[in-house]
Amino acid sequence: MSTDTLRTEVAIIGGGPAGLLLSHLLAAEGIDSVVLETRSRDYVAARIRAGILEQSSVDLLTDVGLGARLAREGDQHRGIYLQFPEERHHLDFVDLIGRSVWVYGQTEVTADLVAARDADGQQFFYSISDTALHDVDTDRPYVTFTDADGTPRRLDAVAIAGCDGSFGPSRGAIPGGTTWEKTYPYAWFGILADVAPSTDELIYAWHPNGFALHSMRSETVSRLYLQVEPGTDPASWSDDRIWDELATRLGHGQDGWELTAGPITDKSVLPMRSYVHAPMQYGRLFLAGDAAHIVPPTGAKGLNLAIADVALLAPALTDLVRKNDARLADAYSDTALRRVWRCTHFSWWMTTMLHRNGDPFEEQLQLSQLRWVTSSEAGATGLAENYAGLPFA
Ligand code: FAD
Ligand code: DHB
C-alpha cells in the first residue's frame, strides 16, 4: 500500500491536554498543526483524571478564549483543609498569597479544547497506530503512522511536539539524556460518586490507617481517594467498605462533621511515581507534559505542569517556525525543567507528609510537619504558593 504524505508546521503526537492546548495556542499565532492520537475521540473525552486547576492555568485558558464555561461551571476555592486526628485546619491561599485554585475536571478542560479546535477546523487523526518519529535531529523531521482506516501515512513538519504521555514513543526518540525516577510504596484508590460533596473545599487527611482526600467535580458529584497498597484490585473493595474507610479517615463525627455516602459510578487504582526526563528537547523534537515528567497526584500538579510546559513551548515553536529563530526553542528544556523540579519537589513533599509508610519515626515527623504548616504563617505560605502555583515564566 502506498503512503499518503501530508505536511504541516508542527506535528503534535498526543491529543491529551498538552497536545490539544498546544494546537490551540499555535493556531492563535497562525501556526498550522496536526494532532495524532492513538485513542478514539470518545475515549479521550471520557478519561477521568485530574480535577484542580491552579491560578496560572485558569488565567492562561481564559486569556486564550477557553474560559467561558470554566467561569460559569468551575468552582473557585480559596484554599484547602489539612487534617490529622482531632484537628482540621483551613489554609486560605487568598489571604496568604492572593491566589486561588479552581475545581474543573480534566474531562471539562478536554471538552472545551476539543470544541474550540473543532470550531477552528483543526486536523486530527484519532485511533491511529504504529506512530514512529524520524529524522528529529534534522530540520525535516517527520512522523509515520497508520490511520483509523488502515492507510499508512507520513506527516512532514518543521518540528514535532511529543505530547504523548508517559507511554508514548516520543521520549524514546531522544538518545541518551538522564532520567530520575521514584516509585512510592502506595497507590490511590479513586472513586467518583453521585452525591453532593460533604465539604466546601478539599480535605487532605493524614490518618493512622492511611491518607484520604475528599475532592469534588460539581455540586452533585464527589471525587474521593484512599491510600491503598499498590496492586489493589478495585473490585475487591465493596462500596460499603470504601465509604466506611473514607468516613474513618476523613473524621466522620469529628466536631459534628459528617461524610454523606452515595452511589459510586467509577472506581480505579492509580500507582504513584515521580519521573523526570532531561533534556526535554532534542533537535526538532520537543517533549511536553507527562511525556517528560510524572508527579504523584498529591497536590494536583500533573495537569497544571502540562499546561505550564505548553505555555512555554508555544511561543518557542512560533519563533522557530515563523522566524527561524531558535533562541526560545533552545532555552525551552532548561526553562521548563525549573518548574518541573519545583512541582516534583512539592508533589513529593505533600505525598511524604500525608501517606503512612509504617515507620513510627517518620509518623512523628509527618505530624510535626503538619502542625507547623497549619500553625505557622511561613509554613502555610510555602504550601499555598506551591499549591496555587507560581506565575508562568
Ligand atoms: P496525557 O493526558 O496522558 O495525554 C497523552 C496522549 O497521548 C493520550 O491521549 C495518549 O492516548 C496519546 N498517545 C500515547 N501514545 C501515543 C502514540 N503512540 N501516538 C499518538 N498518541 C499517543 N493529575 C492531577 O493533577 N490530579 C489527578 O488526580 C490526576 N489523576 C490521574 C489519574 C490517572 C489514571 C492518570 C494516568 C493521570 C492522572 N493525573 C492527575 C495526571 C494528569 O492527568 C496528567 O498529568 C495529564 O493528563 C497530562 O497531560 P498530557 O497531555 O501530558 O498527557
Ligand atoms: C484531585 C486530585 C488530586 O491529585 C488532588 O491533589 C486534588 C484533587 C481530584 O481529582 O479532584
Side-chain angles (χ1 to χ4, degrees):
M1 203 184 289
S2 71
T3 301
D4 249 335
T5 300
L6 306 154
R7 178 149 191 94
T8 188
E9 288 174 313
V10 180
I12 300 178
I13 308 179
L20 290 169
L21 181 59
L22 182 62
S23 72
H24 189 82
L25 298 183
L26 290 175
E29 297 298 331
I31 306 280
D32 185 58
S33 69
V34 173
V35 177
L36 307 175
E37 169 59 54
T38 40
R39 301 290 193 164
S40 69
R41 177 181 272 264
D42 289 349
Y43 180 94
V44 172
R47 209 160 36 186
I48 297 160
R49 286 185 170 178
I52 304 292
L53 293 179
E54 58 183 51
Q55 174 95 48
S56 303
S57 300
V58 170
D59 291 347
L60 174 70
L61 294 171
T62 305
D63 285 350
V64 297
L66 295 163
R69 202 163 65 92
L70 169 53
R72 257 192 338 268
E73 297 175 23
D75 192 9
Q76 186 171 7
H77 285 193
R78 294 181 65 93
I80 57 166
Y81 296 97
L82 271 184
Q83 172 167 313
F84 41 101
E86 309 306 325
E87 296 193 39
R88 181 180 294 174
H89 298 266
H90 187 242
L91 267 59
D92 192 310
F93 302 159
V94 178
D95 283 351
L96 288 162
I97 54 155
R99 295 166 75 75
S100 55
V101 293
W102 274 255
V103 171
Y104 195 64
Q106 184 165 329
T107 38
E108 310 308 323
V109 175
T110 305
D112 293 346
L113 278 163
V114 169
R117 300 316 307 128
D118 279 345
D120 209 22
Q122 174 71 42
Q123 192 169 11
F124 287 104
F125 285 89
Y126 281 101
S127 305
I128 66 158
S129 51
D130 309 323
T131 315
L133 296 84
H134 308 269
D135 294 352
V136 297
D137 54 347
T138 72
D139 56 8
R140 286 194 172 75
Y142 65 98
V143 183
T144 53
F145 61 99
T146 305
D147 74 14
D149 298 327
T151 306
R153 289 188 182 263
R154 168 180 166 145
L155 177 60
D156 291 344
V158 178
I160 299 174
C163 304
D164 44 2
S166 49
F167 302 110
S170 295
R171 194 174 56 236
I174 298 184
T178 309
T179 58
W180 294 265
E181 190 164 14
K182 178 178 173 63
T183 302
Y184 298 84
Y186 21 74
W188 274 18
F189 190 156
I191 64 159
L192 206 59
D194 278 338
V195 61
S198 301
T199 177
D200 57 341
E201 296 191 344
L202 274 62
I203 306 170
Y204 286 81
W206 184 102
H207 189 275
N209 291 7
F211 170 72
L213 169 62
H214 190 331
S215 182
M216 59 201 72
R217 285 292 177 273
S218 69
E219 282 173 12
T220 54
V221 176
S222 296
R223 176 85 168 140
L224 299 108
Y225 297 96
L226 286 168
Q227 175 187 346
V228 293
E229 292 286 319
T232 298
D233 174 7
S236 68
W237 281 59
S238 70
D239 291 10
D240 284 348
R241 181 177 172 206
I242 293 169
W243 285 114
D244 284 351
E245 194 57 29
L246 283 166
T248 302
R249 297 190 196 179
L250 288 167
H252 180 87
Q254 189 177 309
D255 296 325
W257 182 80
E258 290 184 354
L259 176 68
T260 308
I264 295 176
T265 57
D266 188 82
K267 293 181 190 176
S268 60
V269 170
L270 45 139
M272 295 177 72
R273 67 186 177 119
S274 295
Y275 180 94
V276 179
H277 181 280
M280 289 169 62
Q281 179 227 348
Y282 175 70
R284 290 287 176 95
L285 168 62
F286 300 81
L287 303 181
D290 281 16
H293 41 73
I294 302 287
V295 291
T298 334
K301 285 292 149 211
L303 171 60
N304 292 293
L305 208 42
I307 293 174
D309 283 352
V310 167
L312 277 177
L313 184 54
L317 291 177
T318 301
D319 279 3
L320 187 66
V321 171
R322 277 285 160 268
K323 304 184 222 157
N324 202 23
D325 176 350
R327 280 174 299 175
L328 288 178
D330 289 344
Y332 168 70
S333 179
D334 285 349
T335 313
L337 282 164
R338 292 180 76 89
R339 190 181 190 93
V340 168
W341 277 112
R342 176 86 306 280
C343 293
T344 299
H345 174 266
F346 176 67
S347 306
W348 166 86
W349 177 72
M350 285 285 279
T351 300
T352 47
M353 177 169 72
L354 287 161
H355 291 71
R356 296 299 313 282
N357 68 5
D359 181 326
F361 174 72
E362 287 187 21
E363 174 179 328
Q364 294 308 316
L365 296 182
Q366 291 175 323
L367 290 168
S368 170
Q369 177 93 292
L370 281 163
R371 282 188 211 103
W372 177 64
V373 166
T374 52
S375 62
S376 144
E377 191 172 325
T381 302
L383 190 151
E385 223 173 60
N386 283 283
Y387 194 109
L390 298 162
F392 292 159

